[in-house]
Amino acid sequence: MPDFIDGSENVSVHGIFNWILLLAIFSVIVVIGNFIGYQHPISDSLVGMAILSLITLAGVWMERYLPFNISSIIYISVMGIVLAFPGMPTSEILLYYVSKVELLSIVTVFLAYVGIGMGKSWDEFKALGWRAIIITILVIASTYLGSAFVAHVILVMTGVPA
Amino acid sequence: MGFVTIPNKDDDGHIEHIYREKTDKRILKKNPWRDYRLHVTVFVLVIIAELIGTIEIPLSKDISITIMPLIYTIILGLAFYLAKPIKWIQRKQARIAEGAMMLFIGVLIAKLAVSSGQSISLIFDMGPALILQELGHLATILVLPIALLLGFKKEAIGMTNSIGREPNVAVVVDKFGFDSPESRGVFAIFIIGTVIGTIFISFLVTFSLSFLPLHPYAFAMASGVGSASMNAAAIGPTLAAFPGMETQIEAFAGFSNLLSFCVGIYIVIFVALPLTEKMYNWLEPKIGRDSIMPKKEDE
C-alpha cells in the first residue's frame, strides 16, 4: 500500500494526462452552467476556466515535482495572487477572462462532485448516533460564528466602514 | 467507529499532503475521465440546478432566506448515490468523485486567489482582522461541556478541539494514536461533517446573514473555516447577500481559508488542543456523565 503513494513512481505523463482531461471535463460543465445561470459568453468563460485550470495544473505539478514540502493549495494561491497583482503585465487580461467565470458556477459543479463523493460515507454516518450529530453541528456553528464575531469586533474597532 | 478509514500519517508523514495522497490514489492509477456516467450525471445535476436558479423565501418584509443552486447539487448528488434505482452511481463513482474533487479544489482556490491578488492592498489594510479571526475558531472548545453532558468522555477532546477536517484528524491521530478515544471522536466529527457539513453551513450562513447585523467582511472572513467545500458552500449566500461586493468578499473568503490552511493547523497543535485537554481535565470531574460509548464488542 505505501508504495502506492510514494511520489516518484506516480508522477508520470499518464498522471498529468488524467489531470488535464479531468480539468477539461470540469471546465466544460462549469462553462455551460455559467452560461445558463449568468449568461456569460461561452468562449470568454472557457478561456477563463483554461487559465484557472492551468494555474491548478501548475500547482499540482509543483507539489509533486519540486523538492519542497509545500502543499499545492499554497502554490496555487501564490500564483493566483501574484498573476492578478495590480500592475503585473498579466493582471489585466487575466482579470478580464477570469471575471467571466462566476465563483458560484465553479462552486455549484464542485459541490455536485462533493455530494456524490460524500455518499460513500453514508453508512458510517448512519452508524454514529444523534449525540455526535449534535456536537458536529455545534462545532461547525461555533467555528463559523466565533471567527465572524472576532472579525466584526476588530473591523469595528479599526473603523472599517461597512 | 473503528472501521472508518482515514489517511493516516503513516502513509506519508506529513499532514499537509493528505489531499495529495487521496488525489494520487484515486486519479493516477485509474482513468477517471473515462467514467462518463459520473461526469454526465454531474452535468445533468448542474443543468437542473442552474435552471431552477436561486429561490428566495421571504420570512418577513426585511428578512428572506436564499436557497441557491449549490444546495441542489449537493443534495441531488447525495440522493443519486443513495437512490437504489440509479445503478450507475455507486461506490466506485463516489471514490472517483472524491478524488476528482481534490483536484477541482485547485480551480476554486485559483479563482479565489485571483480575487485576492486583485484586492491585495485591501487585504493588507484588513490584516489585523484577518489574522485575529483565525483565533475565533477556538470557539469550538465552548462545545466541550455539552459533549460531556451528553456522555462523551475523552472522545470530546477529539470532537471539540477544531472543526475536524482532514488536517485536524491527522493532528489528533498523530498525538493520541489511531485507536484512542480522542481519535474516535475526531473521526466521528469528520464523517458527520463530510455528510452534513456543507449543507448545514450554507443554511447557517443564510440565517446568520438574515439575523446578525455583522460587517460584510466579517461574514466573508468567517467563511474560511478550513474546509474547501464548506468554504465554497458558505461563500454562496454571502455573495448573494451583498451584491456589488463580489471581489472583496471572494478576496477575504479565499485569503482567510488560506490562512486557516497554513496557520490554523498550528493554532490547533499549539493552542486549541492543549486548551481542550485542560478544559476536559477541569470539567470532566464536575459534569462528566457515565460514558455512552459502547464497550468494545466484537465488530
Short mmCIF file of all heavy atoms in Angstrom, two decimals, chain A residues 10 14-15 18 56 63-64 69 74 77 84 86 98 101 104 108 113 118-120 122 124 128 131 137 139 142-144 147 152 160-161, chain B residues 1 3 14 17 20 24 27-28 30-31 33 39 73-74 81 98 106-107 109 111 117 133 137 140 150 162 191 194-195 215 236 258:
data_model
loop_
_atom_site.label_atom_id
_atom_site.label_comp_id
_atom_site.label_asym_id
_atom_site.label_seq_id
_atom_site.Cartn_x
_atom_site.Cartn_y
_atom_site.Cartn_z
N ASN A 10 4.57 7.67 -9.10
CA ASN A 10 3.28 8.11 -9.61
C ASN A 10 3.36 9.23 -10.62
O ASN A 10 2.48 9.41 -11.43
CB ASN A 10 2.41 8.58 -8.46
CG ASN A 10 1.64 7.43 -7.88
OD1 ASN A 10 1.34 6.49 -8.60
ND2 ASN A 10 1.33 7.51 -6.62
N HIS A 14 1.19 9.83 -17.76
CA HIS A 14 -0.14 9.27 -17.59
C HIS A 14 -0.94 10.08 -16.56
O HIS A 14 -2.08 10.44 -16.79
CB HIS A 14 0.05 7.84 -17.11
CG HIS A 14 -1.21 7.08 -17.00
ND1 HIS A 14 -1.98 6.79 -18.09
CD2 HIS A 14 -1.84 6.54 -15.94
CE1 HIS A 14 -3.03 6.09 -17.70
NE2 HIS A 14 -2.98 5.94 -16.40
N GLY A 15 -0.29 10.38 -15.43
CA GLY A 15 -0.97 11.13 -14.38
C GLY A 15 -1.36 12.52 -14.84
O GLY A 15 -2.50 12.94 -14.68
N ASN A 18 -4.28 12.47 -17.09
CA ASN A 18 -5.53 12.33 -16.34
C ASN A 18 -5.99 13.66 -15.76
O ASN A 18 -7.17 14.00 -15.81
CB ASN A 18 -5.35 11.33 -15.21
CG ASN A 18 -5.55 9.90 -15.67
OD1 ASN A 18 -6.06 9.67 -16.76
ND2 ASN A 18 -5.16 8.95 -14.85
N THR A 56 -4.04 25.62 -11.65
CA THR A 56 -4.22 24.41 -10.83
C THR A 56 -3.21 23.34 -11.21
O THR A 56 -2.55 22.76 -10.35
CB THR A 56 -5.64 23.84 -11.04
OG1 THR A 56 -6.58 24.87 -10.76
CG2 THR A 56 -5.90 22.65 -10.14
N GLU A 63 3.73 20.69 -6.60
CA GLU A 63 3.70 19.98 -5.32
C GLU A 63 4.43 18.65 -5.42
O GLU A 63 5.12 18.23 -4.50
CB GLU A 63 2.26 19.74 -4.89
CG GLU A 63 2.17 19.06 -3.53
CD GLU A 63 0.76 18.61 -3.17
OE1 GLU A 63 -0.16 18.72 -4.00
OE2 GLU A 63 0.58 18.13 -2.04
N ARG A 64 4.29 18.01 -6.56
CA ARG A 64 4.87 16.67 -6.70
C ARG A 64 6.30 16.67 -7.23
O ARG A 64 7.05 15.75 -6.95
CB ARG A 64 3.97 15.83 -7.60
CG ARG A 64 2.68 15.44 -6.89
CD ARG A 64 1.60 15.03 -7.86
NE ARG A 64 0.38 14.62 -7.16
CZ ARG A 64 -0.53 15.48 -6.70
NH1 ARG A 64 -0.34 16.77 -6.84
NH2 ARG A 64 -1.61 15.05 -6.09
N ASN A 69 8.48 20.83 0.71
CA ASN A 69 7.36 20.18 1.35
C ASN A 69 6.19 21.17 1.46
O ASN A 69 5.83 21.60 2.54
CB ASN A 69 7.82 19.70 2.72
CG ASN A 69 6.77 18.87 3.39
OD1 ASN A 69 5.84 18.40 2.74
ND2 ASN A 69 6.90 18.69 4.69
N ILE A 74 -1.08 26.02 -1.50
CA ILE A 74 -0.25 27.20 -1.31
C ILE A 74 0.31 27.68 -2.65
O ILE A 74 0.27 28.87 -2.97
CB ILE A 74 0.91 26.90 -0.33
CG1 ILE A 74 0.42 26.12 0.88
CG2 ILE A 74 1.67 28.17 0.03
CD1 ILE A 74 0.04 26.87 2.08
N SER A 77 -2.47 29.29 -4.65
CA SER A 77 -2.85 30.60 -4.11
C SER A 77 -1.81 31.65 -4.46
O SER A 77 -2.16 32.75 -4.90
CB SER A 77 -2.98 30.52 -2.59
OG SER A 77 -3.97 29.61 -2.23
N ALA A 84 -2.44 38.12 -10.54
CA ALA A 84 -3.52 39.11 -10.58
C ALA A 84 -3.14 40.42 -9.92
O ALA A 84 -3.92 41.36 -9.89
CB ALA A 84 -4.76 38.53 -9.89
N PRO A 86 -2.22 43.97 -9.09
CA PRO A 86 -2.35 45.17 -9.92
C PRO A 86 -0.96 45.63 -10.38
O PRO A 86 -0.04 45.69 -9.58
CB PRO A 86 -2.95 46.19 -8.95
CG PRO A 86 -3.52 45.40 -7.83
CD PRO A 86 -2.70 44.15 -7.73
N VAL A 98 -11.02 35.76 -16.25
CA VAL A 98 -11.41 35.04 -15.03
C VAL A 98 -12.71 35.61 -14.46
O VAL A 98 -13.53 34.88 -13.91
CB VAL A 98 -10.26 35.04 -14.00
CG1 VAL A 98 -10.73 34.50 -12.65
CG2 VAL A 98 -9.09 34.21 -14.50
N VAL A 101 -15.97 33.95 -15.34
CA VAL A 101 -16.40 32.71 -14.68
C VAL A 101 -16.84 33.09 -13.27
O VAL A 101 -16.02 33.50 -12.45
CB VAL A 101 -15.24 31.69 -14.60
CG1 VAL A 101 -15.75 30.37 -14.06
CG2 VAL A 101 -14.58 31.51 -15.94
N LEU A 104 -19.64 31.19 -8.17
CA LEU A 104 -20.75 30.28 -7.84
C LEU A 104 -20.94 29.19 -8.88
O LEU A 104 -21.39 28.10 -8.56
CB LEU A 104 -22.04 31.07 -7.64
CG LEU A 104 -22.08 31.86 -6.33
CD1 LEU A 104 -23.36 32.65 -6.22
CD2 LEU A 104 -21.93 30.93 -5.13
N THR A 108 -20.96 25.39 -7.73
CA THR A 108 -22.11 24.52 -7.97
C THR A 108 -21.66 23.17 -8.54
O THR A 108 -22.13 22.12 -8.10
CB THR A 108 -23.09 25.21 -8.93
OG1 THR A 108 -23.45 26.47 -8.36
CG2 THR A 108 -24.35 24.40 -9.14
N TYR A 113 -19.88 17.11 -7.29
CA TYR A 113 -18.93 16.02 -7.04
C TYR A 113 -18.83 15.72 -5.55
O TYR A 113 -18.76 14.56 -5.14
CB TYR A 113 -17.54 16.39 -7.59
CG TYR A 113 -17.43 16.24 -9.10
CD1 TYR A 113 -17.60 17.34 -9.93
CD2 TYR A 113 -17.18 15.01 -9.67
CE1 TYR A 113 -17.51 17.21 -11.31
CE2 TYR A 113 -17.09 14.86 -11.04
CZ TYR A 113 -17.26 15.97 -11.86
OH TYR A 113 -17.19 15.83 -13.21
N MET A 118 -19.61 12.21 -1.05
CA MET A 118 -19.89 12.01 0.37
C MET A 118 -20.87 10.88 0.61
O MET A 118 -20.97 10.37 1.72
CB MET A 118 -20.35 13.31 1.02
CG MET A 118 -21.74 13.76 0.71
SD MET A 118 -21.87 15.50 1.20
CE MET A 118 -23.62 15.77 0.99
N GLY A 119 -21.54 10.43 -0.46
CA GLY A 119 -22.42 9.28 -0.31
C GLY A 119 -21.67 8.07 0.24
O GLY A 119 -22.22 7.27 0.99
N LYS A 120 -20.40 7.99 -0.12
CA LYS A 120 -19.54 6.90 0.33
C LYS A 120 -19.49 6.79 1.85
O LYS A 120 -19.30 5.72 2.39
CB LYS A 120 -18.13 7.21 -0.20
CG LYS A 120 -17.27 6.03 -0.47
CD LYS A 120 -16.04 6.49 -1.25
CE LYS A 120 -15.20 7.52 -0.52
NZ LYS A 120 -14.57 7.02 0.70
N TRP A 122 -21.92 7.47 3.85
CA TRP A 122 -23.27 7.44 4.37
C TRP A 122 -23.48 6.34 5.43
O TRP A 122 -24.07 6.58 6.48
CB TRP A 122 -24.26 7.25 3.23
CG TRP A 122 -25.69 7.34 3.65
CD1 TRP A 122 -26.56 6.30 3.80
CD2 TRP A 122 -26.41 8.53 4.00
NE1 TRP A 122 -27.78 6.78 4.21
CE2 TRP A 122 -27.72 8.13 4.34
CE3 TRP A 122 -26.08 9.89 4.06
CZ2 TRP A 122 -28.69 9.04 4.74
CZ3 TRP A 122 -27.06 10.78 4.45
CH2 TRP A 122 -28.34 10.36 4.79
N GLU A 124 -21.28 4.83 7.33
CA GLU A 124 -20.55 5.17 8.56
C GLU A 124 -21.29 6.27 9.30
O GLU A 124 -21.39 6.27 10.51
CB GLU A 124 -19.13 5.64 8.22
CG GLU A 124 -18.27 4.51 7.66
CD GLU A 124 -17.10 5.01 6.86
OE1 GLU A 124 -16.99 6.23 6.67
OE2 GLU A 124 -16.31 4.17 6.42
N LEU A 128 -23.26 6.43 13.41
CA LEU A 128 -22.95 7.34 14.51
C LEU A 128 -24.25 7.88 15.08
O LEU A 128 -25.21 8.13 14.36
CB LEU A 128 -22.08 8.49 13.99
CG LEU A 128 -20.71 8.04 13.50
CD1 LEU A 128 -20.08 9.10 12.61
CD2 LEU A 128 -19.80 7.73 14.67
N ARG A 131 -26.14 12.02 19.20
CA ARG A 131 -25.34 12.89 20.06
C ARG A 131 -24.16 13.45 19.28
O ARG A 131 -23.85 14.64 19.37
CB ARG A 131 -24.82 12.11 21.26
CG ARG A 131 -25.89 11.69 22.24
CD ARG A 131 -25.25 11.03 23.44
NE ARG A 131 -26.21 10.66 24.45
CZ ARG A 131 -26.88 9.52 24.46
NH1 ARG A 131 -26.68 8.63 23.50
NH2 ARG A 131 -27.74 9.25 25.43
N ILE A 137 -22.74 19.66 14.63
CA ILE A 137 -23.44 20.88 14.24
C ILE A 137 -22.99 22.06 15.10
O ILE A 137 -22.70 23.15 14.60
CB ILE A 137 -24.97 20.64 14.35
CG1 ILE A 137 -25.43 19.80 13.16
CG2 ILE A 137 -25.73 21.95 14.43
CD1 ILE A 137 -26.89 19.45 13.18
N VAL A 139 -20.15 22.33 16.67
CA VAL A 139 -18.74 22.64 16.40
C VAL A 139 -18.64 23.52 15.13
O VAL A 139 -17.93 24.53 15.13
CB VAL A 139 -17.92 21.34 16.25
CG1 VAL A 139 -16.62 21.58 15.53
CG2 VAL A 139 -17.65 20.74 17.62
N SER A 142 -19.99 26.98 15.90
CA SER A 142 -19.16 27.81 16.76
C SER A 142 -17.89 28.27 16.05
O SER A 142 -17.42 29.38 16.26
CB SER A 142 -18.82 27.08 18.06
OG SER A 142 -18.13 25.90 17.78
N THR A 143 -17.35 27.43 15.17
CA THR A 143 -16.14 27.85 14.47
C THR A 143 -16.48 29.01 13.52
O THR A 143 -15.73 29.98 13.40
CB THR A 143 -15.47 26.65 13.76
OG1 THR A 143 -14.10 26.90 13.63
CG2 THR A 143 -16.04 26.37 12.41
N TYR A 144 -17.63 28.92 12.86
CA TYR A 144 -18.04 29.98 11.93
C TYR A 144 -18.38 31.26 12.69
O TYR A 144 -17.86 32.33 12.40
CB TYR A 144 -19.24 29.51 11.10
CG TYR A 144 -19.79 30.58 10.19
CD1 TYR A 144 -19.15 30.91 9.00
CD2 TYR A 144 -20.94 31.29 10.53
CE1 TYR A 144 -19.65 31.90 8.17
CE2 TYR A 144 -21.45 32.28 9.71
CZ TYR A 144 -20.79 32.58 8.53
OH TYR A 144 -21.28 33.57 7.72
N SER A 147 -15.35 33.06 14.49
CA SER A 147 -14.49 33.93 13.69
C SER A 147 -15.26 35.12 13.12
O SER A 147 -14.71 36.21 12.96
CB SER A 147 -13.73 33.15 12.62
OG SER A 147 -14.59 32.63 11.69
N HIS A 152 -15.72 40.84 13.19
CA HIS A 152 -16.59 42.01 13.27
C HIS A 152 -16.06 43.01 14.30
O HIS A 152 -15.97 44.21 14.03
CB HIS A 152 -18.01 41.57 13.64
CG HIS A 152 -18.96 42.72 13.81
ND1 HIS A 152 -19.47 43.42 12.74
CD2 HIS A 152 -19.47 43.30 14.93
CE1 HIS A 152 -20.26 44.37 13.19
NE2 HIS A 152 -20.28 44.33 14.52
N VAL A 160 -13.47 50.26 10.12
CA VAL A 160 -13.69 49.97 8.70
C VAL A 160 -15.16 50.22 8.38
O VAL A 160 -16.03 49.61 9.00
CB VAL A 160 -13.33 48.51 8.39
CG1 VAL A 160 -13.60 48.22 6.91
CG2 VAL A 160 -11.88 48.25 8.74
N PRO A 161 -15.46 51.13 7.46
CA PRO A 161 -16.86 51.36 7.14
C PRO A 161 -17.48 50.16 6.44
O PRO A 161 -16.82 49.48 5.66
CB PRO A 161 -16.82 52.57 6.20
CG PRO A 161 -15.44 52.56 5.63
CD PRO A 161 -14.54 51.92 6.65
N MET B 1 -16.92 2.36 15.28
CA MET B 1 -16.32 3.52 14.63
C MET B 1 -14.91 3.21 14.14
O MET B 1 -14.33 3.98 13.41
CB MET B 1 -16.25 4.67 15.63
CG MET B 1 -17.24 5.76 15.31
SD MET B 1 -16.97 7.10 16.47
CE MET B 1 -18.34 6.88 17.56
N PHE B 3 -13.77 1.22 12.07
CA PHE B 3 -13.53 0.83 10.69
C PHE B 3 -13.40 2.02 9.75
O PHE B 3 -13.17 1.88 8.58
CB PHE B 3 -14.66 -0.08 10.20
CG PHE B 3 -16.02 0.49 10.40
CD1 PHE B 3 -16.52 1.41 9.52
CD2 PHE B 3 -16.78 0.12 11.51
CE1 PHE B 3 -17.77 1.96 9.72
CE2 PHE B 3 -18.03 0.66 11.71
CZ PHE B 3 -18.52 1.59 10.81
N HIS B 14 3.35 13.56 6.51
CA HIS B 14 3.13 15.00 6.54
C HIS B 14 1.65 15.30 6.43
O HIS B 14 1.00 14.88 5.48
CB HIS B 14 3.89 15.68 5.41
CG HIS B 14 5.37 15.52 5.56
ND1 HIS B 14 6.06 16.15 6.55
CD2 HIS B 14 6.24 14.76 4.88
CE1 HIS B 14 7.33 15.80 6.46
NE2 HIS B 14 7.46 14.95 5.46
N HIS B 17 -0.10 16.75 3.26
CA HIS B 17 -0.21 16.05 1.98
C HIS B 17 -1.36 15.09 1.88
O HIS B 17 -1.38 14.23 1.02
CB HIS B 17 1.10 15.34 1.67
CG HIS B 17 2.18 16.33 1.41
ND1 HIS B 17 2.00 17.34 0.49
CD2 HIS B 17 3.37 16.52 1.97
CE1 HIS B 17 3.09 18.09 0.49
NE2 HIS B 17 3.92 17.62 1.39
N ARG B 20 -2.96 15.23 -1.42
CA ARG B 20 -2.15 14.63 -2.47
C ARG B 20 -2.34 13.12 -2.47
O ARG B 20 -2.53 12.51 -3.52
CB ARG B 20 -0.69 14.97 -2.27
CG ARG B 20 0.18 14.30 -3.31
CD ARG B 20 1.53 14.92 -3.37
NE ARG B 20 2.42 14.37 -2.39
CZ ARG B 20 3.57 14.92 -2.06
NH1 ARG B 20 3.94 16.04 -2.61
NH2 ARG B 20 4.35 14.37 -1.18
N ASP B 24 -3.84 11.20 -5.63
CA ASP B 24 -2.99 10.26 -6.36
C ASP B 24 -3.58 8.87 -6.38
O ASP B 24 -3.59 8.19 -7.40
CB ASP B 24 -1.59 10.23 -5.75
CG ASP B 24 -0.81 11.48 -6.12
OD1 ASP B 24 -1.38 12.29 -6.88
OD2 ASP B 24 0.32 11.64 -5.68
N ILE B 27 -6.76 9.11 -8.69
CA ILE B 27 -6.68 9.62 -10.05
C ILE B 27 -5.58 8.97 -10.87
O ILE B 27 -5.78 8.58 -12.00
CB ILE B 27 -6.48 11.15 -10.06
CG1 ILE B 27 -7.71 11.82 -9.49
CG2 ILE B 27 -6.23 11.66 -11.47
CD1 ILE B 27 -7.67 13.30 -9.56
N LEU B 28 -4.41 8.81 -10.28
CA LEU B 28 -3.28 8.42 -11.11
C LEU B 28 -3.38 6.98 -11.58
O LEU B 28 -2.94 6.64 -12.66
CB LEU B 28 -1.98 8.65 -10.35
CG LEU B 28 -1.67 10.11 -10.09
CD1 LEU B 28 -0.31 10.25 -9.43
CD2 LEU B 28 -1.68 10.91 -11.37
N LYS B 30 -6.12 5.21 -12.04
CA LYS B 30 -7.27 4.87 -12.87
C LYS B 30 -7.37 5.90 -13.98
O LYS B 30 -6.57 6.81 -14.07
CB LYS B 30 -8.54 4.90 -12.02
CG LYS B 30 -8.52 3.84 -10.95
CD LYS B 30 -9.77 3.90 -10.11
CE LYS B 30 -9.64 2.98 -8.91
NZ LYS B 30 -9.45 3.72 -7.68
N ASN B 31 -8.34 5.75 -14.81
CA ASN B 31 -8.59 6.77 -15.82
C ASN B 31 -9.93 7.41 -15.50
O ASN B 31 -10.95 7.07 -16.09
CB ASN B 31 -8.62 6.17 -17.21
CG ASN B 31 -7.23 5.73 -17.64
OD1 ASN B 31 -6.23 6.29 -17.18
ND2 ASN B 31 -7.17 4.74 -18.49
N TRP B 33 -11.46 10.11 -16.06
CA TRP B 33 -12.25 10.82 -17.06
C TRP B 33 -13.09 9.86 -17.87
O TRP B 33 -14.05 10.23 -18.52
CB TRP B 33 -11.32 11.62 -17.97
CG TRP B 33 -10.13 10.82 -18.41
CD1 TRP B 33 -8.95 10.72 -17.77
CD2 TRP B 33 -10.04 9.98 -19.55
NE1 TRP B 33 -8.11 9.87 -18.43
CE2 TRP B 33 -8.75 9.40 -19.54
CE3 TRP B 33 -10.90 9.66 -20.60
CZ2 TRP B 33 -8.32 8.52 -20.52
CZ3 TRP B 33 -10.46 8.78 -21.57
CH2 TRP B 33 -9.18 8.22 -21.53
N HIS B 39 -19.57 11.90 -14.89
CA HIS B 39 -19.49 13.28 -15.35
C HIS B 39 -20.80 13.73 -16.00
O HIS B 39 -21.23 14.87 -15.84
CB HIS B 39 -18.31 13.46 -16.30
CG HIS B 39 -17.01 13.04 -15.68
ND1 HIS B 39 -16.49 13.67 -14.57
CD2 HIS B 39 -16.16 12.03 -15.96
CE1 HIS B 39 -15.36 13.06 -14.22
NE2 HIS B 39 -15.15 12.07 -15.05
N THR B 73 -27.29 20.92 -5.95
CA THR B 73 -26.34 19.94 -6.49
C THR B 73 -25.79 19.03 -5.39
O THR B 73 -25.62 17.85 -5.63
CB THR B 73 -25.18 20.57 -7.29
OG1 THR B 73 -24.57 21.58 -6.51
CG2 THR B 73 -25.65 21.13 -8.59
N ILE B 74 -25.52 19.56 -4.19
CA ILE B 74 -25.02 18.65 -3.13
C ILE B 74 -26.10 17.63 -2.80
O ILE B 74 -25.84 16.44 -2.75
CB ILE B 74 -24.73 19.34 -1.77
CG1 ILE B 74 -24.06 20.68 -1.93
CG2 ILE B 74 -23.93 18.43 -0.86
CD1 ILE B 74 -23.87 21.38 -0.58
N TYR B 81 -26.58 9.07 -5.27
CA TYR B 81 -25.76 7.96 -4.77
C TYR B 81 -26.63 7.00 -3.96
O TYR B 81 -26.49 5.79 -4.07
CB TYR B 81 -24.62 8.49 -3.89
CG TYR B 81 -23.77 7.39 -3.29
CD1 TYR B 81 -22.70 6.86 -3.99
CD2 TYR B 81 -24.06 6.88 -2.02
CE1 TYR B 81 -21.94 5.85 -3.45
CE2 TYR B 81 -23.30 5.86 -1.48
CZ TYR B 81 -22.24 5.35 -2.19
OH TYR B 81 -21.49 4.35 -1.67
N GLU B 98 -14.64 11.75 -5.35
CA GLU B 98 -13.87 12.29 -4.24
C GLU B 98 -12.46 12.65 -4.67
O GLU B 98 -11.94 13.71 -4.32
CB GLU B 98 -13.83 11.26 -3.11
CG GLU B 98 -13.70 11.89 -1.75
CD GLU B 98 -13.50 10.86 -0.67
OE1 GLU B 98 -13.17 9.69 -0.99
OE2 GLU B 98 -13.64 11.22 0.50
N GLY B 106 -8.45 22.93 -6.55
CA GLY B 106 -7.44 23.84 -7.08
C GLY B 106 -8.05 24.97 -7.90
O GLY B 106 -7.65 26.12 -7.78
N VAL B 107 -9.05 24.64 -8.72
CA VAL B 107 -9.68 25.65 -9.57
C VAL B 107 -10.38 26.69 -8.71
O VAL B 107 -10.28 27.90 -8.94
CB VAL B 107 -10.68 24.98 -10.54
CG1 VAL B 107 -11.38 26.02 -11.39
CG2 VAL B 107 -9.97 23.97 -11.42
N ILE B 109 -9.66 27.40 -5.58
CA ILE B 109 -8.64 28.17 -4.88
C ILE B 109 -8.03 29.20 -5.82
O ILE B 109 -7.77 30.34 -5.43
CB ILE B 109 -7.52 27.22 -4.34
CG1 ILE B 109 -8.11 26.13 -3.47
CG2 ILE B 109 -6.41 27.99 -3.66
CD1 ILE B 109 -8.14 26.37 -2.02
N LYS B 111 -9.42 30.66 -8.42
CA LYS B 111 -10.37 31.76 -8.63
C LYS B 111 -10.36 32.72 -7.43
O LYS B 111 -10.32 33.94 -7.58
CB LYS B 111 -11.77 31.18 -8.86
CG LYS B 111 -12.92 32.16 -8.76
CD LYS B 111 -13.07 33.06 -9.98
CE LYS B 111 -14.21 34.06 -9.78
NZ LYS B 111 -14.30 35.07 -10.80
N GLY B 117 -5.54 38.59 -5.19
CA GLY B 117 -4.44 39.35 -5.79
C GLY B 117 -4.90 40.72 -6.26
O GLY B 117 -4.22 41.73 -6.06
N GLN B 133 -9.18 36.83 13.39
CA GLN B 133 -10.39 36.00 13.30
C GLN B 133 -10.04 34.50 13.27
O GLN B 133 -10.89 33.68 13.56
CB GLN B 133 -11.27 36.40 12.11
CG GLN B 133 -10.63 36.35 10.74
CD GLN B 133 -10.73 34.98 10.08
OE1 GLN B 133 -11.64 34.24 10.36
NE2 GLN B 133 -9.78 34.67 9.21
N HIS B 137 -11.82 30.62 15.71
CA HIS B 137 -12.12 29.19 15.56
C HIS B 137 -11.99 28.45 16.88
O HIS B 137 -12.50 27.34 17.01
CB HIS B 137 -11.20 28.56 14.50
CG HIS B 137 -11.44 29.10 13.12
ND1 HIS B 137 -12.69 29.23 12.58
CD2 HIS B 137 -10.58 29.56 12.17
CE1 HIS B 137 -12.59 29.73 11.35
NE2 HIS B 137 -11.32 29.95 11.09
N THR B 140 -14.85 26.55 19.19
CA THR B 140 -15.33 25.16 19.22
C THR B 140 -15.18 24.56 20.61
O THR B 140 -15.94 23.67 20.98
CB THR B 140 -14.54 24.26 18.26
OG1 THR B 140 -13.16 24.37 18.55
CG2 THR B 140 -14.77 24.65 16.81
N LEU B 150 -23.55 15.22 27.33
CA LEU B 150 -24.19 14.18 26.52
C LEU B 150 -23.57 12.81 26.77
O LEU B 150 -24.01 11.83 26.19
CB LEU B 150 -24.08 14.53 25.03
CG LEU B 150 -25.00 15.65 24.52
CD1 LEU B 150 -24.75 15.93 23.06
CD2 LEU B 150 -26.46 15.28 24.74
N SER B 162 -11.44 21.38 17.24
CA SER B 162 -11.40 22.09 15.96
C SER B 162 -12.56 21.62 15.12
O SER B 162 -13.39 20.83 15.58
CB SER B 162 -10.09 21.79 15.23
OG SER B 162 -10.08 20.41 14.90
N ILE B 191 -16.62 12.34 9.76
CA ILE B 191 -17.63 11.65 8.94
C ILE B 191 -18.92 12.47 8.88
O ILE B 191 -19.48 12.72 7.80
CB ILE B 191 -17.96 10.26 9.54
CG1 ILE B 191 -16.73 9.36 9.51
CG2 ILE B 191 -19.13 9.61 8.81
CD1 ILE B 191 -16.31 8.92 8.15
N THR B 194 -18.49 15.52 6.87
CA THR B 194 -18.44 15.22 5.45
C THR B 194 -19.85 15.14 4.87
O THR B 194 -20.13 15.65 3.79
CB THR B 194 -17.73 13.88 5.20
OG1 THR B 194 -16.44 13.94 5.81
CG2 THR B 194 -17.59 13.58 3.74
N VAL B 195 -20.74 14.50 5.62
CA VAL B 195 -22.08 14.27 5.07
C VAL B 195 -22.98 15.50 5.23
O VAL B 195 -23.68 15.87 4.30
CB VAL B 195 -22.72 13.02 5.73
CG1 VAL B 195 -24.14 12.83 5.23
CG2 VAL B 195 -21.89 11.79 5.41
N HIS B 215 -20.54 43.00 10.04
CA HIS B 215 -19.88 43.61 8.89
C HIS B 215 -19.80 42.60 7.73
O HIS B 215 -19.47 41.44 7.96
CB HIS B 215 -18.46 44.01 9.33
CG HIS B 215 -17.82 45.01 8.42
ND1 HIS B 215 -17.37 44.68 7.16
CD2 HIS B 215 -17.55 46.32 8.60
CE1 HIS B 215 -16.85 45.76 6.61
NE2 HIS B 215 -16.94 46.77 7.45
N GLY B 236 -21.38 31.22 -1.03
CA GLY B 236 -22.54 31.42 -1.90
C GLY B 236 -23.55 32.42 -1.36
O GLY B 236 -23.75 33.48 -1.95
N LEU B 258 -7.10 30.35 3.15
CA LEU B 258 -5.66 30.07 3.01
C LEU B 258 -4.97 30.17 4.37
O LEU B 258 -4.15 29.33 4.73
CB LEU B 258 -5.05 31.07 2.02
CG LEU B 258 -3.57 30.92 1.70
CD1 LEU B 258 -3.31 29.60 1.01
CD2 LEU B 258 -3.09 32.06 0.81
#
